[in-house]
Amino acid sequence: MTTANLHNQYPSIAEFIAEHRWKACFYPGAWESAEREIPVFEPATGERLASVGIASAAEVARAGLRARQAQPAWAATPFDQRAAILREAARLLQQEAESFIEWNIRECGGARFKAEWELNICVEQLQMAAAMPMQANGELFPSSMPGRTNIWRRVPMGVVAVISPWNFPLLLSLRSIAPALALGNAVLLKPSEFSSVTGGLLLARLFELAGVPQGVFQVLPGLAETGSALVSDPCVKMVAFTGSTAVGRRIAETCGGLLKRCSLELGGNNALIVCPDADLDAASSSGAWGSFLHQGQICMQAGRHIVHRSVVAAYTEKLKDRAERLACGNPFTEAVQLGPLINAQQRDRVHGLVQDAVHQGATLVTGGEYKELCYRPTVLIGVTPDMPVFKDEIFGPVAPIVVYDDIEEALALVNASPYGLAVAIHTGNATRGYEWAGRIHSGMVHVNDQTVNNEFQVPFGGMGASGYGGRYGGPANFDEFTERQWVSLTSDPIQYPF
């Protein structure tokens, strides 16, 4: 069936989903059946929801060639036409919001408010990207040569590969896809195998309906083989990866050997410092939100609560009360704040970290229990810096509390981690908080707030084992998804001595 026929027969994304047009398919610019497929399960129930096709290494290679051929015409498309397509994608996403929200809840296990927030910020992300093509893309520089004009301008990278995770499958895909397309690149997207529909094939249908030309945007679901093929494909000029530090290191090694640009937003073990003069109600609210939102399955999760000795008892009690008020269950059928962890392997890893801390002398204040994949919000006190629950990225609803006696000790505890994504500081003196932020090795520091912050117009990213710095958002997008080119112009050819 041709794309035109699909548009006519299934005009909305909801109808397209209902007919399962993407069953066992992938999207190399049109809907094609794959030889192999990935089952899609609902974490809350274990129900098989669907299947999607796996793009093999050979299919990735064909997709790369197709994208390389389609990209020049897309880059040459007048800026207002590219902007119009992105605005149409934003309109369609808003129009079809409920389909995206329901799939996000069921496939990824997040609460409804989280899925709704993610949908709304993605609409705004597309709208912001639509404004990018009309911005100035060059600068003039003087020349010592009479009659010469020097222009330093941005040109598209070419073909950009986006490898995105499952925890925020729309946001963490679109934050790369939208600006890359806006600036004239073709995009190959590999979503996580745990969010292949929400973070992959629904976006394929969205951009198909919005009018992105065939080959310019392709979705290639799969496992490690698919991702590896994308990273090493000679047609791909840049890789934008969001995921674990271990995988990010391997991608960086491959891209380095190929002299290929890569953008890495990796894991985090983020700290929340509570000073003796902090507002403890606000601090515990930030602590609960930072540790328990989306079951703690966020790279910016507050995984280390570093609390002054004079307020640790009061802070712990307030955090415990907030944790115990949270309901866990099936977010698609129940009004809950926490849903399931993504799979049994992650549940067992989280529980193992909690049990190990207790065995080493920490006290379980609340939580530490689970039913199927729903893990209760957990607070631990008496944690020491040598425990894995303090040193490792948890990616679960666990709040380990470590005590400090002076701010130098607190800052040293923060900076002892190889990660450097996000830090929060709660203090009665915001000016001192700002000064301390300058001494912290972290891409983001929030004073009197929590660690899980995202504003799409502000450059976002981490340091150290958390990535390459503020690479996404606002003005950073222009430099991230373009190359810089020097063009000089002279009216009359220059004659040289020989």
Side-chain angles (χ1 to χ4, degrees), residues 284-320:
S284 61
S285 175
S286 288
W289 184 266
S291 285
F292 306 141
L293 177 64
H294 196 34
Q295 299 80 262
Q297 298 174 124
I298 306 174
C299 59
M300 296 177 286
Q301 178 209 18
R304 296 182 291 161
H305 297 239
I306 301 173
V307 184
H308 193 269
R309 189 177 301 277
S310 65
V311 295
V312 69
Y315 176 82
T316 301
E317 188 62 28
K318 289 178 181 293
L319 188 61
K320 172 192 172 185

Side-chain angles (χ1 to χ4, degrees), residues 399-430:
I401 298 174
V402 166
V403 176
Y404 76 94
D405 290 302
D406 62 70
I407 193 62
E408 296 301 325
E409 181 186 1
L411 296 178
L413 284 169
V414 172
N415 288 332
S417 173
Y419 295 101
L421 187 56
V423 171
I425 304 171
H426 274 262
T427 172
N429 188 328

